[in-house]
Amino acid sequence: MVSIGISFVELPKTFQDAVRLARFLGIDYLWIDSLCIIQDSHDNKDWKQEAQSMADVYRHSVCNIAATASRAPAEGCFYPRNQLAVPALKLFLRQDIQKTQTTRITQRRLLPSLMRISDSFRRSRKNTPGSAANHEIKWDHLICFPSNAWRHNIEEAPLNKRAWVLQERLLAPRQIHCGRQQLFWECNQAQYSEHWPIELPLPSYVDRSNERSKELKKLDVIIARLIQLRQSMEDKNVMSRDCSGIPVVYVDTASKTTSTFYINLESRAVPSQELDITDEDTSRITRFRNARKEAYQCWEKIVELYSTCEMTYRTDKLVAISAVASRIQEGLKGLDAYVSGLWLSQLPHQLLWCRRSSSKPSPSYYDTAPSWSWASLTAGVTGPPTGGYETSMIEVLEVHNGSSIAGQVEADQDSITYLKLKCLLYKAYFGEYKMSYITVAPSESGSQSNYVRRKDAPIFLQEEYQMDGHGEELQSSQAYLMPVLKGDSETDAGRGLIVVAHQEKPGFFRRIGCWRPGTIGLGDIERFRQHLMAATEQDMITITLI
């Protein structure tokens, strides 16, 4: 019997409301992070341990209660509200219209006590008994509700601006959002509200915010499908056939193990005759690869949203999303490795994240993540390119992972996280008052191939590159353009990174930005592409990206 505990009256109002709601739902146990995890201990031992099990806590819960509108624990989950404003309003109209016509009401105040309706509404219609399909309709009715309710009450709410909350929302099978105006329900299949207890009928042209939420909530369904397909293929010894692509050595310094994984940029299905297996197994492999691709795409969308969220301690950047990564890792067990916010098999693509143009330049914090990880910035980022770009211009030789999946960095210096690459480097010069350009003269590695032997004129750059920070590194270090993905058309110069040489460690480089189609001037694209196409193995140099 528990004799020592916390009195109910001592709990903040938000916690009290959560207890009442759990009791109302008939749920005996309630998990509250700040109460169930020892906070601010000397060595953070309990916090580190529990952070690694968050995926199981939320994924196996009955329901997650979110004080979505609350800014502080003292505010509570429930608010006074106008009961007349909650239900959807049904208006009956007598008019003569054709069945194929639609009705739109804009900028009309329906009743003084109701909120202003300023968007489109969906209408349901009934024919009078006995009327033919093409006859005029005498009576019609409109179902009126605020079409921005989900965005205003959920996506833009204070709670969902916090980074730690996102993985709770994604992993919990069901969630009750306690909004300021009403309650909302969200699960892996649907979204409901008090004014619309049937699934929200919002077309994409009205409000895309709830559609984005639906896409992200599909993650658990995708992972469950991956696990099911993988298990069925392992039973028939077919899983090993999916290990195709460019081999990469993966060194996990935490567990002191070395493995081999594969980079494969193509999303094609291997023909059955090549695999020498049944058509049924080929179908399984195709479905597995499609689900795997969906998982990567979903992760990239999650990163875009997560990077815009607020965080008290920037060193928690990888920890606060680690439960989602653990869940994906469960579906990709033995096939992929998670390294500082990126997936090894997708490295050429996922290296090409960019700082959002709407976000202020951010310094890179190397105590949080390596420079090539989006987690090293405190700014919002956009994901890698989608579609095309199936030819990599870099060769990943080794990946050293010096942190756990929860982002906890090991103490010893040997555990540093880095990538060892073979790549092409072009010296780049960025001027504030003069044109920026790159040179195609022989590189410092001593390469003398045909494509760099000529003393060609500089290739000028347009302002289509994006620096991660303010570019302070350019004052003391030489910058280079590193092609990563080859362009898929004659007018596409490709995509890549902007890196600088480390001042104290020869052969070590750090990322400071990225470049994309449009960076190379139109008059120089053909010449630049010729240089890339003529490059040989001897032109590539081996670097360590930290």
Side-chain angles (χ1 to χ4, degrees):
M1 179 180 294
V2 178
S3 57
I4 300 177
I6 302 175
S7 171
F8 178 80
V9 296
E10 295 180 66
L11 293 175
K13 188 175 186 302
T14 298
F15 296 174
Q16 292 181 3
D17 287 347
V19 171
R20 294 190 183 99
L21 185 52
R23 288 174 176 171
F24 176 80
L25 296 173
I27 299 174
D28 296 328
Y29 299 96
L30 179 66
W31 172 280
I32 300 177
D33 286 349
S34 58
L35 297 182
C36 298
I37 301 177
I38 300 175
Q39 306 290 314
D40 301 324
S41 61
H42 175 67
D43 56 359
N44 282 335
K45 182 178 179 180
D46 189 63
W47 183 86
K48 290 178 181 178
Q49 180 179 343
E50 294 297 337
Q52 298 183 47
S53 60
M54 283 297 95
D56 293 330
V57 170
Y58 288 102
R59 191 164 64 86
H60 296 299
S61 66
V62 175
C63 181
N64 189 42
I65 300 172
T68 309
S70 176
R71 296 182 182 275
E75 287 193 16
C77 295
F78 310 113
Y79 300 86
R81 55 185 179 172
N82 183 355
Q83 295 294 334
L84 293 177
V86 174
L89 180 66
K90 181 181 287 190
L91 296 180
F92 288 90
L93 306 175
R94 181 182 178 87
Q95 57 182 342
D96 294 336
I97 60 174
Q98 291 294 328
K99 188 176 181 180
T100 57
Q101 291 179 337
T102 58
T103 300
R104 174 170 294 185
I105 296 180
T106 57
Q107 303 295 334
R108 176 177 297 178
R109 187 176 296 277
L110 298 176
L111 288 174
S113 61
L114 294 181
M115 65 188 70
R116 185 175 179 84
I117 306 298
S118 60
D119 284 316
S120 302
F121 300 95
R122 172 164 290 189
R123 182 191 61 180
S124 59
R125 293 179 296 192
K126 290 183 179 180
N127 287 349
T128 54
S131 63
N134 293 325
H135 285 182
E136 292 182 346
I137 301 173
K138 299 298 183 182
W139 287 94
D140 204 353
H141 67 270
L142 301 172
I143 305 297
C144 304
F145 59 93
S147 61
N148 63 350
W150 184 268
R151 183 178 69 252
H152 179 69
N153 288 274
I154 306 299
E155 303 301 340
E156 297 177 353
L159 185 71
N160 285 326
K161 294 179 181 179
R162 294 166 50 190
W164 275 97
V165 170
L166 181 59
Q167 66 177 5
E168 302 170 7
R169 182 180 174 189
L170 293 176
L171 294 174
R174 306 164 194 88
Q175 178 144 318
I176 297 176
H177 291 282
C178 299
R180 189 167 292 274
Q181 298 171 346
Q182 59 183 296
L183 297 181
F184 293 80
W185 170 271
E186 184 178 25
C187 64
N188 293 338
Q189 293 181 318
Q191 298 166 335
Y192 304 103
S193 67
E194 289 185 67
H195 69 223
W196 201 272
I198 305 174
E199 187 172 7
L200 291 173
L202 299 182
S204 59
Y205 62 81
V206 175
D207 189 354
R208 282 284 299 166
S209 60
N210 70 316
E211 293 297 323
R212 181 182 63 180
S213 301
K214 285 182 182 179
E215 291 176 5
L216 299 185
K217 285 293 289 183
K218 289 179 181 177
L219 177 64
D220 202 62
V221 176
I222 295 170
I223 300 304
R225 193 189 322 145
L226 272 174
I227 294 174
Q228 181 182 16
L229 289 168
R230 192 191 71 214
Q231 290 173 346
S232 67
M233 291 191 291
E234 284 176 346
D235 294 340
K236 301 190 69 174
N237 197 27
V238 178
M239 197 68 226
S240 60
R241 309 295 185 92
D242 194 53
C243 295
S244 59
I246 303 171
V248 178
V249 176
Y250 172 73
V251 180
D252 189 334
T253 55
S255 61
K256 297 181 180 180
T257 59
T258 301
S259 311
T260 300
F261 293 97
Y262 297 84
I263 291 179
N264 191 343
L265 301 184
E266 298 180 0
S267 58
R268 62 182 179 87
V270 181
S272 58
Q273 60 268 24
E274 181 179 333
L275 292 175
D276 192 25
I277 52 180
T278 65
D279 290 338
E280 181 183 356
D281 291 332
T282 304
S283 176
R284 283 198 186 100
I285 289 179
T286 301
R287 283 182 283 139
F288 179 83
R289 290 180 178 174
N290 288 338
R292 185 175 173 180
K293 181 180 178 181
E294 285 184 73
Y296 292 134
Q297 291 175 343
C298 191
W299 169 258
E300 291 161 6
K301 292 176 182 177
I302 290 171
V303 166
E304 288 189 359
L305 177 60
Y306 176 75
S307 68
T308 64
C309 295
E310 301 169 356
M311 181 165 291
T312 305
Y313 303 104
R314 57 174 175 76
T315 51
D316 290 347
K317 195 70 173 282
L318 289 173
V319 185
I321 198 67
S322 61
V324 178
S326 296
R327 180 60 175 150
I328 297 177
Q329 184 75 80
E330 188 178 350
L332 299 172
K333 186 177 180 180
L335 291 175
D336 212 339
Y338 175 76
V339 189
S340 296
L342 287 73
W343 294 95
L344 188 149
S345 72
Q346 305 298 301
L347 272 183
H349 271 81
Q350 291 191 354
L351 284 172
L352 296 174
W353 53 268
C354 283
R355 174 179 59 83
R356 286 179 182 267
S357 57
S358 58
S359 295
K360 295 180 180 179
S362 163
S364 296
Y365 294 99
Y366 307 130
D367 58 343
T368 301
S371 67
W372 42 266
S373 170
W374 52 266
S376 64
L377 299 188
T378 57
V381 301
T382 57
T386 57
Y389 299 105
E390 295 185 352
T391 303
S392 175
M393 298 300 296
I394 64 173
E395 182 181 347
V396 183
L397 303 177
E398 290 182 17
V399 176
H400 284 245
N401 190 6
S403 62
S404 66
I405 196 168
Q408 297 162 2
V409 180
E410 302 299 319
D412 56 340
Q413 290 295 323
D414 293 335
S415 66
I416 186 172
T417 301
Y418 63 85
L419 307 178
K420 187 169 286 188
L421 312 171
K422 287 187 71 173
C423 61
L424 296 169
L425 292 180
Y426 291 84
K427 278 188 176 181
Y429 301 88
F430 299 91
E432 185 175 355
Y433 301 108
K434 58 183 180 180
M435 291 290 290
S436 300
Y437 63 95
I438 61 174
T439 62
V440 292
S443 66
E444 295 177 353
S445 64
S447 168
Q448 293 295 327
S449 69
N450 291 332
Y451 96 99
V452 295
R453 188 175 297 141
R454 301 190 308 273
K455 300 292 185 180
D456 288 348
I459 291 179
F460 290 99
L461 306 179
Q462 307 297 318
E463 293 186 2
E464 289 296 326
Y465 53 85
Q466 183 77 278
M467 292 296 185
D468 300 334
H470 293 283
E472 299 91 343
E473 302 89 345
L474 298 174
Q475 299 176 6
S476 57
S477 302
Q478 176 62 56
Y480 298 86
L481 253 62
M482 178 201 300
V484 175
L485 293 177
K486 184 180 178 181
D488 52 8
S489 70
E490 294 182 357
T491 58
D492 188 347
R495 293 173 179 260
L497 302 180
I498 303 173
V499 299
V500 293
H502 197 285
Q503 286 287 299
E504 301 173 358
K505 297 181 179 179
F508 283 71
F509 292 78
R510 279 193 169 123
R511 168 193 161 130
I512 62 168
C514 65
W515 58 274
R516 51 200 171 191
T519 299
I520 307 298
L522 289 175
D524 291 323
I525 288 180
E526 182 179 356
R527 188 155 55 98
F528 183 71
R529 284 177 58 85
Q530 288 176 354
H531 285 216
L532 293 180
M533 292 168 54
T536 65
E537 187 75 15
Q538 290 72 31
D539 299 315
M540 304 181 75
I541 64 173
T542 300
I543 69 169
T544 301
L545 196 61
I546 59 175

